[in-house]
Amino acid sequence: MYKVIVSDLDGTLLTPAHIVSEQTKTTIHKLLKQDKKFIIATGRHNVDVEAIRKTIDAEIYLITSNGARVHNNKGELIYSKNVSTDIAQIISEIDLPKTIQANIYRDDEWFVNKPNPEILSFSQDSTFSYQVVDITTLEKAGIAKFFFCGPHDDLVKLADQINAQYSTQLNVSFSLPECLEVMDIKVNKAEALTEVLKIKGFTMAETIAFGDGMNDLEMLQAVDKGLIMGNASVMLKNALPDFEMIGDSAEDGVAQYIEKNIL
């Protein structure tokens, strides 16, 4: 039986309203009472996710910024990996089309090149918000990741542009069709999860994980059992055609699976 359960947030653990349902909270507490470990692994910023953890009211590890940051169950930073300052500067200077908005997570701050009120709706339980700045002149030390929001086709072109030069130095993946993530090549949820399991004395063979986007790919492949949400992106479903698919996030799919198969 699995001892460690790992879940992505948006499109996976959270409802379409971007909150943790009461059923899901109850299920997580049942897991913890059985001495199982529950870990959140998300592309969100740790400050944002800390607010979500408080709504769950449980001491759980947080893998954030797609694995660029790990905080323990006390909220202490235990692992980090940044984009190199020279490459970060180059990425910030890319001439983006007007359809794409650029975002930067730097340490405990969030910077954007232009406002995007829609993205703030993802953080209903948090006061975490962005600052509008000239990202080309921003200090580049401490950047966990870039992410770009816009039409999928435009983001595919941007991904191709970045990969053409930096495929061996940057990890470029889609968390959503309209959201392109850019991190150091060694940053992904599987790498960060490996560090957490090492600390806690568990293995991938004792771990099950849930996800819905391409930024979950490495994690789902690394654990003993990776489960894909019914509402997962077509890209992820095509990448992992033999993986088991469960219910949608709108139906508390993660909680439903845990209740039936783990608890």
Side-chain angles (χ1 to χ4, degrees):
M1 184 58 66
Y2 295 110
K3 298 178 180 179
V4 182
I5 296 86
V6 190
S7 180
D8 172 51
L9 285 180
D10 296 290
T12 304
L13 193 71
L14 303 184
T15 70
H18 310 293
I19 61 172
V20 183
S21 74
E22 292 304 315
Q23 178 182 356
T24 297
K25 292 176 187 177
T26 299
T27 298
I28 292 171
H29 281 275
K30 286 181 182 179
L31 285 171
L32 298 177
K33 285 179 181 178
Q34 291 188 11
D35 290 326
K36 298 183 187 298
K37 306 301 178 184
F38 186 81
I39 300 169
I40 288 173
T42 178
R44 288 183 182 232
H45 194 286
N46 63 280
V47 174
D48 190 11
V49 184
E50 180 59 39
I52 293 172
R53 173 162 62 179
K54 287 180 180 177
T55 71
I56 300 172
D57 191 25
E59 293 186 347
I60 52 183
Y61 274 63
L62 304 181
I63 295 171
T64 59
S65 294
N66 291 321
R69 298 286 186 273
V70 177
H71 287 75
N72 65 16
N73 55 7
K74 303 297 182 183
E76 301 164 334
L77 179 66
I78 60 172
Y79 174 83
S80 66
K81 182 68 176 176
N82 297 323
V83 179
S84 68
T85 55
D86 56 337
I87 294 180
Q89 183 60 45
I90 294 169
I91 298 301
S92 73
E93 294 174 352
I94 293 176
D95 186 17
L96 298 171
K98 293 181 179 180
T99 54
I100 294 179
Q101 182 225 23
N103 297 257
I104 293 175
Y105 283 171
R106 190 189 69 184
D107 294 327
D108 289 340
E109 299 172 294
W110 175 12
F111 302 99
V112 300
N113 67 334
K114 59 183 178 181
N116 182 1
E118 183 180 352
I119 203 170
L120 295 176
S121 67
F122 280 66
S123 304
Q124 295 186 29
D125 291 319
S126 172
T127 58
F128 187 52
S129 188
Y130 54 64
Q131 303 171 53
V132 181
V133 299
D134 178 354
I135 64 171
T136 63
T137 62
L138 193 69
E139 169 59 47
K140 299 305 186 296
I143 291 180
K145 75 168 187 175
F146 289 81
F147 66 100
F148 301 91
C149 301
H152 181 69
D153 290 346
D154 292 347
L155 293 176
V156 168
K157 293 176 183 176
L158 177 60
D160 291 343
Q161 180 182 348
I162 295 173
N163 279 324
Q165 288 185 279
Y166 300 109
S167 61
T168 61
Q169 295 164 288
L170 294 173
N171 177 6
V172 181
S173 66
F174 283 91
S175 55
L176 295 168
E178 300 81 22
C179 186
L180 181 70
E181 314 265 355
V182 179
M183 298 77 60
D184 181 85
I185 189 64
K186 295 181 180 179
V187 169
N188 62 62
K189 294 180 182 182
E191 290 290 334
L193 179 58
T194 298
E195 296 298 319
V196 174
L197 295 179
K198 202 181 298 180
I199 292 168
K200 302 300 291 182
F202 295 103
T203 66
M204 289 291 188
E206 299 172 294
T207 306
I208 187 170
F210 302 84
D212 74 306
M214 287 300 288
N215 61 332
D216 297 312
L217 178 68
E218 295 91 347
M219 176 178 73
L220 295 174
Q221 291 175 317
V223 298
D224 185 73
K225 189 173 183 64
L227 294 155
I228 300 175
M229 303 303 295
N231 54 277
S233 72
V234 173
M235 296 172 72
L236 184 67
K237 291 177 180 177
N238 289 341
L240 302 175
D242 298 325
F243 278 52
E244 182 179 348
M245 193 179 305
I246 65 168
D248 288 7
S249 61
E251 304 164 348
D252 292 325
V254 172
Q256 296 279 8
Y257 184 92
I258 291 172
E259 292 282 352
K260 182 179 179 180
N261 299 283
I262 300 177
L263 288 173

